[in-house]
Amino acid sequence: MRRWITLAAGVVLVLVGAVWVLQGIGVITGSFMTGQKLWFLIGLAAFLLGVVLVAATATRRKPTS
């Protein structure tokens, strides 16, 4: 059960991080985050953390009971 939670959190972080990065560099407009370097950096950190969580979940073996 914990694997699914970790995987879901990773996927959400990847998606949200990608949106924040795109807003930070000005590709997605219409927000107070548009064109702000801070949101680019926060988005990049969220995206990378999400990638790490997804990769760790994908490579972790299911424990045998």
Side-chain angles (χ1 to χ4, degrees):
M1 174 91 152
R2 183 167 180 219
R3 283 182 67 176
W4 288 106
I5 294 170
T6 306
L7 180 63
V11 169
V12 167
L13 280 171
V14 165
L15 295 175
V16 170
V19 169
W20 287 348
V21 165
L22 292 174
Q23 285 180 324
I25 62 174
V27 173
I28 299 175
T29 60
S31 170
F32 68 93
M33 295 185 265
T34 301
Q36 300 293 319
K37 185 177 180 180
L38 175 65
W39 287 104
F40 167 76
L41 295 173
I42 292 170
L44 187 60
F47 181 83
L48 293 175
L49 179 60
V51 168
V52 168
L53 287 176
V54 169
T57 305
T59 58
R60 190 181 322 151
R61 293 184 184 258
K62 189 174 183 178
T64 55
S65 300

